[in-house]
Amino acid sequence: MRFGVLGPVEVRSPDGEVVPVGGPRPRAVLVMLLLTPGRPVPLERLVAGQYGDDPPAEAVNAVQAQVSRLRRVLPPGSVEFTGGGYRIAVDADDVDAHVFERMARDGRALLAAGRVADATRTLRDALELWRGPALADLPHGVAQAARLEELRLSATEDLVDAELAMGDAPVARLRALVTAHPLRERFREQLVRALHAEGRTAEALTEFEDARRRLADELGVDPTPGLAAAHLAVLRNEEPVTRRGVPAPLTGFVGRDEELARLADLDARLVTVCGPGGTGKTRLAVEFAARTAPDACFADLSGLTAGDAVAPAVLAALGVRESGLRPGRADPVARLVAALDRDLLLVLDNCEHVVAEAAGLVRLLLTRCPRLRVLATSREPLGLTGEALLPLEPLDLDHAVRLFTDRAAAVRPGVPPDDAAVAAICVALDGLPLAVELAAARLRQFSAAEIADRLTGRDRFKLLSRGDRTAAQRHRTLHAVVAWSWDLLGERERVLARRFAVFAGGAPLAAVEAVCGVEDADEVLADLVDKSLVTVVDGRYRMFDTIRLFCVEQLGETEERDVRRAHVAYHLALAQRADPHLRGAEQLTWLARLSAEHDNLMAALRHADRETGMRLVAALAAYWWLSGRRAQAGDAAAALLVGDVPDGLAEEYVSCVVHAWPRPAAEHWERARRIVESGSLELRHPFGVALWGMVVGPPVDPHADPGALLGEDPWNAALAGFGRALLRVLDGAPAAGERDMAAALASFRALGERWGVAQSLDWLARVEGWRGEWDRAHACWAEALALYEALGAADECGELLCHQGRCLLRQGETHAARVAFTRAAARFARPTGEALLGLAEVARSTGDHATAADLLARALAEEEGGARWRTARVLTALGRLADDPREAARRHDQALRAVRTPLLASEVALVVEGRAESADGARAALWLGVAVALRGTARVGDPDVARVTRRARDEIGVEAFAAAYSRGAAMSREEALTTIGL
């Protein structure tokens, strides 16, 4: 239903039929409810509105009766009782008074923005809503009626200003308004200006003199500056001036303090604020002008369709119009020079589509008007000598979040959005202010988390399709903002822009030339940079994601296929060229280069065919592992594990198995294991074999020679030496393994290869830790950790911290061990049983068995399907935690079965030490000795071994324990394995 209160009360049904409301009392109640639609009005206020300050005793009952009458004529549920008052359930846009207020505000904003035609239409429509005195049916509503009447007069004044700016001079209407409101100086000022515009100088002067005398006689004051300025213009016979000042902002200003300071420091008469659409160029210019030159002239050029309209548009902004009696008096430029020969800041907004004409006019004006300064906004520079540029980038994350939060408070007051979701929104939108504001506006419909989820692909433009209805069409939606820039491009620029959009993370010039296939790409890129479609930093070109997504939409199917194929080929070649450098002294340089291309490498992997994708996975194995990004390749690698192994791509297939996440089926692991251990694998990317060993564990035959697979390359040879040393350490010959590990360390140091150095140091530290050489162990770990961190190898850092944490537990440093395992858990890209197991061991050592049990359950789940020796470690820990001896023995037996394959003596020794806990004294002593025989050394400081030793000694005595322990420790490997049933 529609409700009218700007005149006699009027209620109309959805069909337009008049609905009779009843007598004056019900109409008065209805008016008071309609003044605050949707909000409760206290009963006391309803009484006062009807009866004033002296209501009769039965006033409350009378109001309730009048509400009942209203309910009978209005739709059910329209008037509700809400604890002490009533509310009417209608929308504000259904009440003419609220529609009028909104349209009056919109009209004023349009006028301030220089959109006088739109302002004129809006203000006329608003004033046509009045049918008579406001609130005529509310006997005691004088204050509310006076407020609405003042708004009506202000809107009328705004409409007259808009008409004057368009060249109209409504003299007759203004005379009537002055007669009705003789002390309202704005009407007097407008009448003087209108008469002057029509050449009626004497009448204009007479009007001013009448106003001056009346103000002096009745109020004892002088005319306002506006009226005095209009009078002075008449005396000087100046062109009529109604200059458009700086638009009044409708929202708060967020961020940009640095840019404002730079604007203030720039010593130039022409400054151009450049940047992509939606970065806030206009808002920055307006804020700067308002703070430093509030009397500046603001000219919006966005509505121009021809370059020769620039000068007339600036004339209109200045308010310099041709007199109706003296048309064609002078050309626009000459009139501008005459009007601007004074101290003034001229703000030229949105110059990009008339940039050549705007540049020509600005050059002429600055040359002829030495006191004039120009602040321009444009998506490309004007290109004049002496022009100072202020490139405007999107907001940084903190300021973007502040902007979103500020605008969100206006949309959903009192409901703070989710901080994490807001940050995700701002990152997805590149901090583009317009996009952030449009996203905040959608909080009326969606939560921040839902908005973040929807900002993908084309959904971004659909989501951000509702903007300020008073804004220019090209600023109402995100798509329109980018489309405006696109329409200003030439054909070669469009070709390069849409092809460049396949780069997900920007690109150097060489990549653009190779992929995009555009002649003179460097020159065309320079044009795109000038037009703010592309940015360049340190030789790397980049599109903001919002612009890139728009440009991708412009690609035809065939063109997109060809460009993406070139993009994939270029980045495969880059990965293959980089791989050998990742195993030498240039490791950090090439890691940095690949890291800069990370988004492109991942995009290439997503768009590659199966065989090319497998080649990319293999070529990038070292990069992903060393930079801690292996987890990011998981989905793409898993998708490639379909069908048979392509001919000649066995190595690539193994890399896909290692990287795939979730873990691939057992058949893939088994097939990959057969390939690795076949001895016939031709290695083009040898780091993949090292990665296989780290993820899966050593081969079934621990005595196999790694060098047979790796070949003679210096890094391969160093890795083979490391592999032999590691197998000796793991297989019960730690002393010999330590010597070989030192040799491998020297080889990696000679190559300058940090990962191999860190790996060798880590294992040397573990052996030293077994012997109780704590200081030397921790020194090695400290150096290794620094190398891993320089590489960015997060998973390696996590593994090392777990090794160090276990050593700290043996030292009795429980708190330090907890810190190490906690740091380790934070480093791993995915949850890992290693860190969870370590934290569980810390919890068990402090008596917190409930926490330990929970952590071990999670660790066991994480290790499912992985290396069996890792699972055995968790099962051993569960056996130690069990209160029931039978449950403990079951877990230890499970662990023993798990380490059968691959049979690594040092890992078997750990399980045997655990199994000794559930054995009687004599067998416990024997099995502790067997563990020493298998490992090749005793581990100093192990609290679990010490506890079992004390128990066994108490049960069988010191001498019997020593005899059994010594017998086990003296066994050969074969005897030891036979003793424990393996």
Side-chain angles (χ1 to χ4, degrees):
M1 301 187 75
R2 298 289 180 176
F3 300 88
V5 297
L6 298 180
V9 168
E10 182 180 81
V11 179
R12 291 186 178 272
S13 70
D15 297 331
E17 296 295 327
V18 175
V19 177
V21 177
R25 298 292 188 191
R27 292 200 300 273
V29 170
L30 178 60
V31 169
M32 285 184 283
L33 294 175
L34 291 172
L35 289 177
T36 56
R39 290 158 52 190
V41 180
L43 193 56
E44 296 80 2
R45 190 184 304 170
L46 294 174
V47 170
Q50 287 222 36
Y51 300 102
D53 295 332
D54 189 23
E58 68 280 3
V60 171
N61 292 334
V63 168
Q64 292 171 340
Q66 290 143 19
V67 168
S68 297
R69 293 191 187 96
L70 286 176
R71 285 173 168 164
R72 285 196 291 270
V73 298
L74 297 178
S78 295
V79 181
E80 305 169 347
F81 179 73
T82 57
Y86 293 92
R87 64 183 290 272
I88 189 165
V90 301
D91 191 273
D93 281 348
D94 293 330
V95 183
D96 62 357
H98 300 292
V99 174
F100 165 73
E101 290 191 52
R102 173 175 56 76
M103 294 180 70
R105 287 194 302 269
D106 291 348
R108 175 164 291 187
L110 290 166
L111 180 62
R115 296 173 58 192
V116 292
D118 292 337
T120 301
R121 286 192 297 271
T122 301
L123 291 166
R124 282 176 178 166
D125 290 345
L127 290 167
E128 285 176 2
L129 294 173
W130 286 71
R131 297 169 290 102
L135 313 185
D137 292 278
L138 189 59
H140 296 278
V142 177
Q144 297 95 318
R147 185 184 70 84
L148 287 170
E149 181 61 29
E150 177 60 29
L151 289 175
R152 179 185 189 181
L153 290 174
S154 295
T156 303
E157 292 168 336
D158 290 339
L159 175 59
V160 171
D161 271 347
E163 291 170 338
L164 287 170
M166 292 183 68
D168 296 332
V171 173
R173 180 151 51 92
L174 279 169
R175 286 195 186 280
L177 289 169
V178 166
T179 300
H181 309 280
L183 296 178
R184 199 167 182 94
E185 292 182 74
R186 192 173 172 192
F187 285 144
R188 287 277 192 174
E189 176 191 342
Q190 291 170 332
L191 179 56
V192 171
R193 286 162 46 202
L195 290 167
H196 179 39
E198 292 194 349
R200 298 158 68 175
T201 303
E203 292 177 76
L205 293 174
T206 300
E207 285 296 334
F208 171 77
E209 183 59 29
D210 181 66
R212 185 197 63 76
R213 185 172 52 252
R214 184 181 289 269
L215 290 169
D217 292 345
E218 298 186 22
L219 302 178
V221 297
D222 293 327
T224 60
L227 180 54
H231 174 239
L232 186 60
V234 177
L235 293 175
R236 292 177 175 175
N237 199 27
E238 294 177 351
E239 292 282 356
V241 175
T242 54
R243 183 174 71 244
R244 295 177 201 159
V246 179
L250 300 179
T251 57
F253 189 70
V254 177
R256 302 299 192 197
D257 291 337
E258 181 179 344
E259 288 84 354
L260 285 171
R262 287 174 59 195
L263 275 176
D265 292 340
L266 286 173
D267 185 18
R269 294 177 60 211
L270 169 61
V271 177
T272 302
V273 180
C274 295
T279 49
K281 300 183 294 295
T282 299
R283 188 69 177 84
L284 177 67
V286 166
E287 188 70 19
F288 175 75
R291 294 186 185 189
T292 62
D295 61 341
C297 176
F298 181 88
D300 182 5
L301 307 184
S302 63
L304 303 185
T305 57
D308 58 5
V310 174
V314 179
L315 280 172
L318 284 164
V320 179
R321 301 177 304 281
E322 290 193 73
S323 169
L325 302 179
R326 296 172 291 172
R329 178 184 172 201
D331 77 273
V333 175
R335 296 169 67 207
L336 272 177
V337 170
L340 292 173
D341 188 16
R342 52 199 170 99
D343 291 320
L344 182 71
L345 174 65
L346 174 62
V347 181
L348 295 180
D349 193 33
N350 298 302
C351 298
E352 53 273 351
H353 62 304
V354 287
V355 66
E357 294 79 5
L361 178 63
V362 169
R363 175 187 286 280
L364 187 149
L365 292 177
L366 290 176
T367 301
R368 297 189 186 179
C369 305
R371 293 181 292 171
L372 177 68
R373 294 179 298 132
V374 176
L375 175 60
T377 74
S378 176
R379 301 188 188 186
E380 63 177 301
L382 299 189
L384 297 180
T385 301
E387 177 183 25
L389 297 179
L390 179 66
L392 195 61
E393 297 290 332
L395 295 170
D396 60 33
L397 180 59
D398 289 343
H399 284 121
V401 169
R402 278 183 51 201
L403 177 64
F404 187 98
T405 305
D406 179 79
R407 302 302 186 256
V411 175
R412 298 186 69 184
V415 183
D418 175 25
D419 291 343
V422 171
I425 291 169
C426 295
V427 170
L429 296 175
D430 294 307
L432 199 67
L434 176 64
V436 171
E437 291 186 324
L438 291 172
R442 295 313 298 267
L443 285 175
R444 291 191 294 266
Q445 182 178 3
F446 303 112
S447 69
E450 289 173 325
I451 293 173
D453 289 340
R454 290 169 179 263
L455 288 176
T456 56
R458 297 193 58 154
D459 285 347
R460 168 179 314 210
F461 295 113
K462 181 179 179 181
L463 180 72
L464 306 182
S465 61
R466 295 188 178 186
D468 183 350
R469 63 164 61 92
T470 69
Q473 183 61 40
R474 64 190 181 83
H475 275 153
R476 291 186 188 178
T477 70
L478 189 61
H479 191 276
V481 169
V482 186
W484 171 264
S485 295
W486 177 263
D487 291 342
L488 299 178
L489 299 180
E491 183 55 33
R492 291 179 69 218
E493 294 165 341
R494 291 184 183 183
V495 170
L496 183 56
R498 63 179 181 253
R499 293 180 182 177
F500 181 87
V502 302
F503 289 98
L509 177 60
V512 178
E513 292 174 331
V515 172
C516 296
V518 174
E519 187 178 356
D520 296 327
D522 56 338
E523 294 296 326
V524 184
L525 274 174
D527 293 337
L528 292 176
V529 170
D530 281 346
K531 294 182 179 181
S532 301
L533 267 293
V534 172
T535 60
V536 57
V537 178
D538 297 332
R540 187 172 186 83
Y541 297 87
R542 179 179 181 271
M543 270 184 179
F544 294 118
D545 207 39
T546 296
I547 297 173
R548 188 182 65 81
L549 290 172
F550 178 92
C551 292
V552 166
E553 291 181 359
Q554 314 310 312
L555 278 168
E557 183 178 347
T558 301
E559 184 181 28
E560 180 173 8
R561 183 181 62 249
D562 293 343
V563 177
R564 289 206 181 278
R565 185 183 296 122
H567 179 270
V568 171
Y570 176 87
H571 288 96
L572 174 60
L574 173 65
Q576 292 172 334
R577 186 167 70 253
D579 181 61
H581 295 286
L582 297 179
R583 302 190 298 277
E586 296 178 291
Q587 193 173 47
L588 292 182
T589 300
W590 280 87
L591 276 176
R593 183 169 179 181
L594 291 178
S595 293
E597 300 298 339
H598 178 75
D599 290 341
N600 281 314
L601 292 167
M602 298 304 296
L605 182 58
R606 288 193 299 272
H607 291 98
D609 59 63
R610 183 177 179 232
E611 293 190 6
T612 304
M614 295 177 76
R615 290 188 175 96
L616 265 170
V617 171
L620 292 171
Y623 159 67
W624 280 326
W625 182 267
L626 295 177
S627 63
R629 294 183 170 100
R630 183 169 70 95
Q632 297 183 31
D635 290 340
L640 297 171
L641 294 176
V642 292
D644 297 330
V645 179
D647 291 341
L649 296 182
E651 178 188 20
E652 288 77 2
Y653 173 81
V654 172
S655 280
C656 289
V657 173
V658 171
H659 286 91
W661 189 268
R663 293 179 185 274
E667 63 185 271
H668 291 292
W669 288 102
E670 185 56 35
R671 181 186 295 168
R673 184 185 295 279
R674 289 198 302 270
I675 291 173
V676 171
E677 297 179 3
S678 67
S680 61
L681 190 62
E682 180 183 352
L683 291 182
R684 291 174 292 273
H685 307 290
F687 196 91
V689 173
L691 184 54
W692 171 269
M694 287 182 285
V695 174
V696 179
V700 174
D701 179 7
H703 303 287
D705 181 11
L709 178 64
L710 291 168
E712 298 301 323
D713 175 87
W715 186 85
N716 292 9
L719 183 62
F722 171 81
R724 283 189 289 269
L726 179 57
L727 288 176
R728 286 181 174 178
V729 169
L730 293 173
D731 204 39
E738 187 175 17
R739 289 192 299 271
D740 291 346
M741 192 66 72
L745 173 62
S747 298
F748 284 124
R749 285 196 192 278
L751 291 171
E753 201 278 285
R754 296 161 184 81
W755 177 84
V757 170
Q759 283 279 316
S760 302
L761 287 169
D762 183 18
W763 280 97
L764 285 171
R766 295 179 72 177
V767 174
E768 289 162 347
W770 290 349
R771 292 198 300 266
E773 296 178 7
W774 314 121
D775 291 342
R776 291 180 59 183
H778 289 298
C780 286
W781 274 320
E783 183 182 353
L785 185 61
L787 291 170
Y788 283 147
E789 288 177 336
L791 292 170
D795 281 359
E796 306 281 37
C797 290
E799 290 280 358
L800 183 148
L801 288 166
C802 287
H803 302 161
Q804 192 174 32
R806 285 194 288 274
C807 181
L808 289 166
L809 274 177
R810 294 201 311 278
Q811 290 178 250
E813 299 288 347
T814 305
H815 175 71
R818 178 186 289 109
V819 171
F821 288 124
T822 302
R823 289 177 61 197
R827 294 297 184 97
F828 287 113
R830 285 194 293 259
T832 173
E834 277 285 283
L836 295 170
L837 172 61
L839 290 169
E841 292 294 284
V842 171
R844 181 173 64 88
S845 69
T846 59
D848 187 357
H849 287 192
T851 298
D854 177 65
L855 289 167
L856 288 174
R858 290 166 54 194
L860 190 62
E862 292 298 335
E863 295 297 351
E864 184 178 0
R868 292 170 61 83
W869 57 270
R870 290 182 182 269
T871 302
R873 286 187 180 184
V874 181
L875 291 168
T876 296
L878 285 167
R880 285 179 169 143
L881 188 65
D883 293 328
D884 183 355
R886 288 176 297 181
E887 172 64 13
R890 185 178 73 85
R891 288 297 195 183
H892 288 306
D893 287 340
Q894 285 180 325
L896 202 57
R897 288 193 296 272
V899 290
R900 287 177 181 270
T901 307
L903 203 154
L904 301 173
S906 64
E907 293 299 329
V908 175
L910 289 173
V911 173
V912 168
E913 287 171 346
R915 186 65 181 83
E917 294 195 23
S918 59
D920 59 34
R923 185 171 293 272
L926 177 66
W927 282 38
L928 289 177
V930 166
V932 172
L934 289 170
R935 188 184 296 110
T937 183
R939 288 190 308 149
V940 173
D942 190 302
D944 293 310
V945 172
R947 186 177 64 256
V948 175
T949 298
R950 287 193 298 271
R951 176 181 64 80
R953 284 174 177 170
D954 290 342
E955 289 181 10
I956 63 174
V958 174
E959 292 183 3
F961 175 88
Y965 180 87
S966 298
R967 182 160 60 89
M971 289 180 178
S972 66
R973 173 191 173 92
E974 291 71 21
E975 290 174 324
L977 292 175
T978 299
T979 299
I980 62 174
L982 294 181

